[in-house]
Amino acid sequence: MKLSLNWIKDFVKLPDDLTMSQLAFDLTMATVEVEGVHDLSKQFDGIVVGVINEVLPHPNADKLRVCKVDIGADEIKEIVCGGSNLEAGMKVVVACPGAMVRWHGEGEPVEIKNTKLRGVASFGMICAAVEVGLSDLFPTDDDHAIMDISYLDVKPGINLADALDLNDMILEIDNKSMTNRPDLWGHYGIARELAALYDLPLKDIEKYVPETDTAYDVRILDTERCPRYIGAKIENLSVKEAPFYMQSRLWRVGLRPINALVDITNYVMLAVGQPTHVFDSNHIIDHIEVRRADEGEKLQLLNDKEIELCTDDLVIADSEGAVALAGVMGGAKDSVLPDTESVILEVANFNSHGVRRTALRYDNRTEASARYEKAIDPERCDLAVTLSMELFKELYPEMKVVAYCDSYPNKLVKKEIDVDFDWLDRRLGMRIPQEVVSKKLGSMGYEVTFTEKGMHIVVPTWRSTGDVSIKADIMEEVARMYGYENFQPTSITTTFDGAINQLRVDLVRKIKEYLSFRCNMQEIFTYPWMTDTFVNALLPDTNEVFALSTPPSPSEKYVRSTLLPNICKAIVKNERNFPEFAIFEEAKIFRDCNYAHEYDEKEALPYERRHLGCAFVGSPDKVTELFRTAKGVIGMMPRYTHMEEFTFKKVEKPYWADETVWLNVFLGEKKIGDLALLSHKAKTDCGIKVVSAVLVEIDMDSLIPFKSRTNRFVHIPEFPMNEYDLSFLVDSMVKWEDIYSACMLKKSGDSLLKDVRFVDEYKGKQIPKGKKSVTIRLVIGSSEKTLTGEEIEAAAKSVLKKLTKNLGAEIRS
Amino acid sequence: MKEKLDALLCDGTAEILAAENENELQVVKGKYLGKDGLVTKLLKEIPTLDVSLRPEMGKAVNQVKNALGEKIDARREEIKNKAFAISPDFDCTVPGLTPQIGGLHPITQMCYDLNDAFRSMGFEVFSGPEITSEYFAFDNLNFPPNHPARESMDTYWLEGHDSGEANEKLCLRPHLTGDSVRYMQTHKPPYRFVYPGRVYRNETTDARHERAFFQYEALIVDKDFTYTAGKVMIKSILSKVFGQDVPVRMRAGFFPFVEPGFEIDMGCLVCGGKGCSVCKHVGWIEIMPGGTPHPNVLRAAGVDPDEYTGFYVNIGLDRLVMMRYGVDDVRMFHSTDLRFLTQFR
């Protein structure tokens, strides 16, 4: 919202030494955010009134003229101009060199310079209204007409801002910062706030006393939706231009002047924040009624849009039908026309929620509906009527109010609040003298009476529509008026109540840090919805998968029940830039089942679990490495993050997994996840072009963090351990697990074989078909002595014997 | 014998210098100075010489023995020094072999930085469900049924759960504040906790608006906790996170969960408060709303608002991270693009 400082000054006399930056700061800290302040006169720097003494033809151009222009201080300048309405004696707007104008009203402002036009030197420029930003105030149909200000009684050379009284400061207020303050949506409201801030008197607006006894027929049929309606029939009017000051003020705060009758309503709204409306009284048949619309009733609005109403809409109607959408917009039929001579002035109060619903329903939010939506108090109608009548009188001295009605069936009840001083002091953290408190509240319109322990406060009507209702609100009023920046900082005190120990929170972080910093994987974030392509590729069905009522797009309706579809989407996104990478995501998954009352007996929430999803991505000829990396990363995770160990088993193949390369992750007897190669079909269906991926998904909520570090110290061996590598051929279907078991077969406690490790396996050239070469490393040692070479050799031989016997292993020659 | 000695010294020296490594040197040493070495042999011959010659020859042989010994030691040093020298064309400017880059999402990093700061002040970390009922999303949070905020937080309702009573309607949570009620209902005051998490709004996206974003809320509930203590708290947290003293100001603001409510600004760290394009030339950047929890919110959580008060802030992590790194499009955070994500350390 834009505000004119001059307009505010109509209602409160601000101190002369108050700077604009101070005012903007004070308002920002205490009331609303001032987004900017700009000096209106600045845009007219170097732009002055000139008088054309002579209009001469241009020697080289038919359409141009050379004007001799008096720009004051005895200076006559030659200015080349193409204006269609140039005449000697005319007062015009001259932009001197250095001034900023907008060429033909378009583009960014440019600086005027001394120049030559078709060979003739020209001092500055004679401007059209559009070039100095005044086309709204000086409208013209002729694109080539320059701005004619001959009517002004001013001397040449005077600055245009002075000549037109455009010296003003414009404040730009962030609308969002005052959605809760309906009282501030006009100059009077801001003036009241400033008066309270600076302890200044606010101009009183006296209640209007009608000059007629004749009642205008107003019938309110829904007093809930329309608590008050003032209707006045005014005669002896005409459609004409509003006075310049009025047009100018409207223009300054962003409204286009239309005609005097409409301008009065807008002016009143901007002054006191109360929308008003005028109907041409000739077109209102019999009376005004405020009622709900009939289902399907039609109404043509002022903007010529025809709408079909419903029973939730409140309309202003005459005996024949709806004439206006209450609080939103007038109808076309009864609007002010060029021949309007008498009007019905409407100053009314409408319920905020109803106006909001109607405005949204027809996508028709207006200046009026925006104000009603904030919940205006019905008492404000009085201010608007008084001001309206003053303006009608001023613009139409002959005007007559011939009928009047103030129907106020639903009186606003002022809120009353009791505040304890002791409570106030404790909450504020300091004692503000009681007189200061009551004075500040008083200047904002609160009626304060002291009670035994505190104050009894009656809230003014303009704050009683929802904004102020409890004692915390009063505390806020006191604190902001005292000045938030005037409170001393206080330190935070607390009683020590045991150290924070959140194992589960810590575990999630440890896992993410383990994956990021030890396993060099990158964390990603994805949306909670999945794209259909990936859902189809990875899920067997969508049973128990949630869908959104209004999804971001038709192909993104499913809410994730697994992290893998989005992870695959991320693979597609990145494979074109990276031949290999590893990513993970930690996020919630959801299923439409297992409802439980975890937090509240009233609320049953569905299955929701924190999952971890990983992808190890690389070239298809490195599937073994990808698989072993994934298995290593997941297998080592418990060691680095201090939780119960996992085991890998093959129990249930994930739908999306390769036929062979898959494992389930187990914690004890519970399956908590999968680790598998994405099948060729799923990969192709996802649109992954080149890379292969080993995916992992684990239910993190099932993980069990250790309460503390639990493992025990083991003595380091006293005698050396010896490593002995064995390479042999076995059938290619033999598993590492089989080899390990065979080595450990019948191993007694005092056996010299301490461990067997996998080193390598190889299939291909030089290896017979159906066989593979495996290299294992035996760890051989004794706890009693240093072994001799012969003893080590013997131990290794006995292992080889077991392998030969049980697996048919042959030593490689 | 004298000539023999001279020849030995001469040959020995030459052979020592010709030795290319420790082994060769050992061989030369053995040949001359070993048990049966040439010089050793001569020494053994001394007693067979004429008595008058013995002292002189003994001395001469010992001199040769010592000389060769020294030369061998010197040559050994030379060999040691030379043995591991790398060819001078070794290029020290070749880049290091870096481990594959991995890392936390920049929003996770910021979240953990804040967690560390808050936990150092005795806060617990809490997280609630991301699917919530309307009851916890709006009803018990001081949003009257027709409150415009319900519309402004355009919510993702779940199909088949988008009508009926408030406790039956389910949505992806539009904000975190419901979580604070969940925490308070299950714990006893005083409270001191943070509850970071993802929230979802059905909005049109652009460089500054997202449908999924990350918020970070913190709540203290205690007896007579004043807003000025809240200001000290925010200042401490931000100063720790940003590693420097951060000026903080609080000004009037309105949010349904709080009363009084504040807009909290931090001094612009880019220009140090002088005014620049980042702070739109005001020297301050609006980073979070906050305030005293509204009595209705405390009541919903079963806490007596006459006895308890507190302080609440809601930090938009996306925005804070954008400011920290100069990211100009919020949608990058969910892009999954590794060229973006791997930039943050």
Side-chain angles (χ1 to χ4, degrees):
Chain A
M1 186 176 74
K2 284 180 176 174
L3 293 167
S4 144
L5 184 68
N6 289 353
W7 203 339
I8 290 171
K9 284 177 175 169
D10 280 2
F11 305 115
V12 60
K13 190 181 178 319
L14 295 171
D16 294 334
D17 59 351
L18 178 67
T19 63
M20 280 313 286
S21 57
Q22 186 65 42
L23 183 141
F25 175 80
D26 291 337
L27 263 185
T28 296
M29 292 304 283
T31 309
V32 288
E33 188 179 348
V34 179
E35 286 183 316
V37 177
H38 82 267
D39 185 342
L40 190 64
S41 68
K42 274 272 185 293
Q43 69 190 76
F44 302 108
D45 278 356
I47 299 176
V48 301
V49 176
V51 178
I52 300 180
N53 285 354
E54 244 182 300
V55 181
L56 302 169
H58 190 289
N60 305 322
D62 287 346
K63 290 196 173 162
L64 295 178
R65 300 281 179 277
V66 180
C67 301
K68 295 203 169 191
V69 186
D70 178 356
I71 57 157
D74 298 328
E75 284 198 84
I76 309 293
K77 298 282 186 188
E78 280 197 350
I79 304 176
V80 177
C81 180
S84 57
N85 54 341
L86 297 167
E87 261 178 59
M90 194 173 171
K91 281 185 190 142
V92 293
V93 175
V94 176
C96 300
M100 304 295 284
V101 302
R102 231 178 267 269
W103 289 111
H104 309 294
E106 285 161 13
E108 289 297 304
V110 292
E111 190 182 329
I112 291 291
K113 295 196 172 98
N114 270 319
T115 180
K116 264 188 181 172
L117 281 173
R118 295 281 190 96
V120 176
S122 179
F123 173 88
M125 167 176 170
I126 299 175
C127 301
V130 71
E131 286 164 332
V132 289
L134 293 174
S135 55
D136 280 347
L137 294 177
F138 296 89
T140 171
D141 296 333
D142 181 354
D143 283 350
H144 300 288
I146 53 111
M147 185 170 150
D148 184 354
I149 47 172
S150 304
Y151 73 95
L152 286 175
D153 182 19
V154 289
K155 292 216 162 64
I158 187 169
N159 181 277
L160 186 66
D162 293 326
L164 294 176
D165 193 19
L166 293 176
N167 291 307
D168 199 354
M169 303 297 276
I170 306 300
L171 284 85
E172 190 93 44
I173 311 275
D174 178 13
N175 288 352
K176 282 204 305 292
S177 70
M178 49 183 208
T179 47
N180 63 321
R181 293 287 305 268
D183 61 310
L184 296 180
W185 288 75
H187 287 77
Y188 192 67
I190 295 287
R192 179 161 46 215
E193 201 73 9
L194 290 171
L197 268 172
Y198 300 126
D199 297 319
L200 300 167
L202 177 74
K203 188 186 167 195
D204 194 28
I205 298 180
E206 278 174 30
K207 195 173 169 178
Y208 170 74
V209 181
E211 59 204 72
T212 174
D213 291 336
T214 312
Y216 188 73
D217 189 359
V218 170
R219 305 170 189 177
I220 302 177
L221 305 182
D222 185 339
T223 58
E224 183 64 36
R225 294 278 293 269
C226 177
R228 187 179 188 182
Y229 196 101
I230 298 172
K233 185 173 182 186
I234 310 174
E235 292 183 342
N236 293 347
L237 305 172
S238 62
V239 173
K240 61 178 187 181
E241 261 190 36
F244 184 75
Y245 87 86
M246 190 183 271
Q247 292 192 33
S248 160
R249 279 193 172 178
L250 293 177
W251 166 76
R252 282 172 215 195
V253 298
L255 252 62
R256 203 161 53 84
I258 295 165
N259 62 50
L261 294 174
V262 174
D263 288 355
I264 287 176
T265 63
N266 283 333
Y267 189 91
V268 169
M269 176 176 72
L270 294 171
V272 297
Q274 167 69 51
T276 64
H277 189 67
V278 285
F279 302 98
D280 184 322
S281 65
N282 289 336
H283 303 130
I284 297 285
I285 314 299
D286 299 329
H287 64 269
I288 287 241
E289 59 184 45
V290 187
R291 61 166 169 83
R292 297 291 191 92
D294 296 328
E295 192 67 38
E297 190 173 356
K298 290 202 165 83
L299 174 63
Q300 188 165 13
L301 294 174
L302 207 50
N303 59 7
D304 284 336
K305 196 156 96 177
E306 190 178 63
I307 54 174
E308 208 172 287
L309 303 167
C310 71
T311 55
D312 186 50
D313 296 321
L314 192 71
V315 294
I316 313 301
D318 60 13
S319 61
E320 292 191 340
V323 297
L325 205 47
V328 180
M329 190 175 263
K333 176 184 149 201
D334 308 288
S335 59
V336 170
L337 301 168
D339 60 352
T340 297
E341 286 175 346
S342 71
V343 300
I344 309 297
L345 170 69
E346 166 195 292
V347 180
N349 186 263
F350 302 111
N351 168 282
S352 58
H353 303 315
V355 170
R356 182 179 176 79
R357 285 198 301 273
T358 295
L360 284 176
R361 189 174 300 130
Y362 304 110
D363 193 18
N364 205 357
R365 297 180 102 162
T366 57
E367 291 277 343
S369 74
R371 285 173 171 78
Y372 279 120
E373 278 176 22
K374 310 291 182 297
I376 306 175
D377 65 300
E379 301 281 326
R380 204 184 310 183
C381 293
D382 291 326
L383 301 178
V385 168
T386 305
L387 196 57
S388 300
M389 291 305 181
E390 278 175 18
L391 292 169
F392 274 112
K393 197 94 211 164
E394 180 188 324
L395 269 57
Y396 302 96
E398 303 298 311
M399 77 92 161
K400 249 182 106 146
V401 178
V402 294
Y404 187 87
C405 171
D406 180 358
S407 178
Y408 191 3
N410 192 356
K411 285 249 176 347
L412 176 79
V413 181
K414 291 181 183 178
K415 291 277 187 333
E416 303 195 18
I417 302 168
D418 284 293
V419 177
D420 216 45
F421 276 124
D422 179 49
W423 176 87
L424 191 64
D425 293 347
R426 279 189 290 124
R427 289 291 160 94
L428 290 173
M430 69 177 288
R431 170 163 296 243
I432 299 175
Q434 297 177 6
E435 315 80 64
V436 176
V437 170
S438 83
K439 188 174 172 204
K440 281 289 176 197
L441 289 173
S443 63
M444 285 186 285
Y446 293 90
E447 296 160 41
V448 179
T449 42
F450 288 107
T451 59
E452 200 179 328
K453 286 162 124 188
M455 299 174 288
H456 179 74
I457 295 164
V458 180
V459 180
T461 55
W462 57 89
R463 304 295 300 278
S464 284
T465 56
D467 174 21
V468 176
S469 57
I470 54 172
K471 59 187 180 180
D473 296 323
I474 298 295
M475 176 183 78
E476 179 179 32
E477 294 288 276
V478 172
R480 68 186 184 86
M481 278 297 151
Y482 183 76
Y484 285 130
E485 65 282 13
N486 294 331
F487 288 85
Q488 290 301 311
T490 41
S491 53
I492 313 165
T493 53
T494 186
T495 44
F496 177 70
D497 198 22
I500 304 290
N501 189 15
Q502 296 188 276
L503 298 172
R504 209 151 263 296
V505 173
D506 292 343
L507 179 62
V508 172
R509 177 163 173 174
K510 278 183 196 167
I511 290 173
K512 290 169 72 169
E513 290 181 340
Y514 163 74
L515 296 174
S516 298
F517 305 132
R518 192 178 282 274
C519 306
N520 305 323
M521 299 170 71
Q522 176 61 48
E523 186 189 12
I524 59 168
F525 278 18
T526 68
Y527 297 106
W529 42 83
M530 309 180 282
T531 308
D532 286 351
T533 311
F534 300 90
V535 172
N536 296 337
L538 297 166
L539 271 65
D541 55 60
T542 53
N543 299 339
E544 297 183 345
V545 178
F546 278 115
L548 297 171
S549 300
T550 49
S553 82
S555 63
E556 293 182 306
K557 63 177 174 298
Y558 289 114
V559 179
R560 61 180 160 203
S561 56
T562 152
L563 300 183
L564 298 179
N566 288 355
I567 284 187
C568 286
K569 196 176 177 183
I571 294 174
V572 172
K573 173 124 190 170
N574 283 296
E575 71 164 334
R576 65 186 91 124
N577 296 317
F578 300 91
E580 56 186 34
F581 54 92
I583 51 180
F584 74 95
E585 177 170 33
E586 167 258 316
K588 293 288 191 69
I589 60 104
F590 314 93
R591 280 178 208 146
D592 194 356
C593 62
N594 293 28
Y595 284 80
H597 296 266
E598 199 186 335
Y599 297 95
D600 197 292
E601 57 194 29
K602 278 195 243 169
E603 182 196 58
L605 292 179
Y607 182 89
E608 172 175 333
R609 304 284 279 187
R610 187 179 303 278
H611 272 203
L612 172 69
C614 306
F616 299 84
V617 183
S619 154
D621 57 21
K622 288 192 173 163
V623 165
T624 310
E625 281 97 324
L626 293 175
F627 176 80
R628 288 189 65 197
T629 305
K631 195 176 173 188
V633 164
I634 301 305
M636 285 305 268
M637 187 190 284
R639 182 190 200 283
Y640 286 109
T641 59
H642 311 116
M643 59 171 160
E644 299 282 353
E645 298 276 344
F646 303 149
T647 50
F648 295 105
K649 293 184 207 170
K650 265 187 136 132
V651 174
E652 187 190 352
K653 185 185 94 68
Y655 174 77
W656 46 268
D658 178 83
E659 284 302 324
T660 312
V661 189
W662 61 270
L663 290 169
N664 303 121
V665 183
F666 273 78
L667 189 66
E669 291 306 304
K670 189 178 177 194
K671 175 174 167 291
I672 60 159
D674 303 309
L675 184 160
L677 175 69
L678 184 63
S679 72
H680 183 75
K681 179 187 182 325
K683 172 183 143 174
T684 313
D685 289 349
C686 284
I688 298 173
K689 296 223 161 50
V690 181
V691 295
S692 283
V694 172
L695 305 182
V696 180
E697 183 162 30
I698 286 177
D699 174 14
M700 293 179 96
D701 285 337
S702 293
L703 305 178
I704 304 165
F706 289 142
K707 290 198 176 66
S708 179
R709 293 169 198 259
T710 49
N711 58 324
R712 304 283 301 172
F713 162 73
V714 177
H715 279 281
I716 51 175
E718 210 172 328
F719 301 99
M721 288 288 142
N722 307 278
E723 292 183 346
Y724 191 101
D725 285 7
L726 276 181
S727 290
F728 49 87
L729 289 176
V730 282
D731 189 278
S732 71
M733 292 303 284
V734 171
K735 304 271 179 262
W736 158 248
E737 211 170 47
D738 306 329
I739 295 170
Y740 183 84
S741 316
C743 293
M744 292 300 183
L745 213 61
K746 292 183 199 149
K747 185 173 108 54
S748 59
D750 57 356
S751 165
L752 298 180
L753 181 65
K754 299 300 177 197
D755 197 8
V756 183
R757 293 175 195 152
F758 178 87
V759 176
D760 199 4
E761 69 167 34
Y762 177 71
K763 278 173 265 189
K765 263 198 266 174
Q766 300 157 349
I767 306 294
K769 217 159 185 228
K771 297 274 181 187
K772 63 179 174 182
S773 161
V774 178
T775 304
I776 62 174
R777 182 162 298 154
L778 309 176
V779 179
I780 297 167
S782 161
S783 52
E784 275 139 32
K785 58 174 186 169
T786 302
L787 297 178
T788 65
E790 290 75 28
E791 287 167 320
I792 296 167
E793 198 76 34
K797 280 250 167 62
S798 91
V799 173
L800 189 62
K801 211 183 270 170
K802 286 192 259 183
L803 289 170
T804 311
K805 189 176 163 209
N806 293 292
L807 301 174
E810 320 158 26
I811 266 285
R812 271 188 87 185
S813 48
Chain B
M1 189 158 192
K2 185 94 169 107
E3 297 79 42
K4 223 173 169 183
L5 264 178
D6 287 347
L8 270 182
L9 183 59
C10 189
D11 294 350
T13 304
E15 281 179 48
I16 287 165
L17 291 178
E20 283 295 332
N21 54 45
E22 178 68 29
N23 283 346
E24 287 176 24
L25 194 63
Q26 274 303 328
V27 173
V28 178
K29 188 179 174 185
K31 179 177 171 190
Y32 290 91
L33 307 180
K35 227 193 297 182
D36 300 314
L38 298 170
V39 178
T40 317
K41 266 188 198 155
L42 283 182
L43 263 181
K44 283 178 184 162
E45 284 172 20
I46 300 287
T48 65
L49 292 178
D50 187 276
V51 177
S52 62
L53 289 172
R54 282 182 203 168
E56 192 191 338
M57 285 316 291
K59 198 174 162 194
V61 175
N62 268 319
Q63 269 173 355
V64 170
K65 182 188 166 190
N66 291 341
L68 287 175
E70 278 166 28
K71 284 187 201 295
I72 286 167
D73 287 346
R75 181 62 187 158
R76 180 178 290 122
E77 282 302 305
E78 267 178 42
I79 288 170
K80 219 185 340 185
N81 285 336
K82 219 175 69 181
F84 293 96
I86 301 288
S87 163
D89 60 7
F90 183 88
D91 183 0
C92 291
T93 68
V94 290
L97 286 175
T98 46
Q100 197 188 332
I101 291 174
L104 294 172
H105 192 283
I107 289 179
T108 304
Q109 291 174 9
M110 182 62 95
C111 179
Y112 287 170
D113 286 355
L114 285 166
N115 280 358
D116 290 343
F118 275 105
R119 291 180 90 173
S120 75
M121 297 171 79
F123 281 72
E124 268 196 63
V125 179
F126 175 71
S127 63
E130 291 188 21
I131 286 182
T132 180
S133 65
E134 183 181 34
Y135 177 67
F136 271 91
F138 294 109
D139 284 36
N140 62 11
L141 293 178
N142 205 39
F143 279 106
N146 283 313
H147 200 287
R150 291 196 188 215
E151 289 165 33
S152 72
M153 293 186 186
D154 286 322
T155 305
Y156 281 117
W157 297 101
L158 298 180
E159 209 171 73
H161 305 269
D162 45 9
S163 61
E165 297 294 312
N167 58 329
E168 294 165 347
K169 287 176 73 180
L170 295 179
C171 60
L172 297 179
R173 64 179 174 199
H175 55 76
L176 295 173
T177 311
D179 281 8
S180 64
V181 175
R182 294 182 195 281
Y183 179 93
M184 289 191 282
Q185 283 181 343
T186 49
H187 294 73
K188 281 204 165 67
Y191 306 118
R192 194 176 272 222
F193 63 106
V194 295
Y195 40 113
R198 296 177 169 93
V199 299
Y200 309 100
R201 308 246 175 100
N202 189 355
E203 289 185 354
T204 314
T205 61
D206 60 32
R208 298 185 59 78
H209 297 92
E210 247 295 17
R211 297 185 173 110
F213 46 100
F214 211 101
Q215 292 192 333
Y216 195 102
E217 298 197 353
L219 180 63
I220 285 191
V221 171
D222 209 333
K223 292 176 181 169
D224 303 324
F225 191 90
T226 62
Y227 98 90
T228 49
K231 186 173 173 178
V232 170
M233 177 185 94
I234 296 303
K235 196 174 156 59
S236 315
I237 297 289
L238 290 176
S239 298
K240 177 162 165 49
V241 169
F242 286 97
Q244 56 181 293
D245 187 54
V246 178
V248 167
R249 74 172 190 186
M250 289 162 66
R251 56 191 167 80
F254 170 75
F255 309 96
F257 321 123
V258 288
E259 188 67 57
F262 300 99
E263 284 288 1
I264 301 172
D265 299 339
M266 67 182 267
C268 180
L269 300 178
V270 177
C271 61
K274 286 191 207 76
C276 66
S277 62
V278 173
C279 59
K280 292 192 225 148
H281 304 283
V282 291
W284 295 95
I285 293 175
E286 190 177 306
I287 49 160
M288 58 181 117
T292 304
H294 195 284
N296 289 350
V297 175
L298 292 179
R299 260 182 224 118
V303 175
D304 177 4
D306 280 328
E307 190 181 354
Y308 284 98
T309 177
F311 195 76
Y312 153 93
V313 285
N314 174 354
I315 306 167
L317 278 199
D318 304 65
R319 250 175 105 185
L320 208 58
V321 174
M322 286 171 84
M323 190 174 74
R324 183 186 245 189
Y325 298 107
V327 176
D328 56 9
D329 190 335
V330 68
R331 291 168 296 190
M332 291 305 294
F333 292 132
H334 279 80
S335 68
T336 72
D337 193 328
L338 295 175
R339 292 170 300 174
F340 170 75
L341 292 169
T342 52
Q343 290 183 27
F344 306 97
R345 13 179 204 260

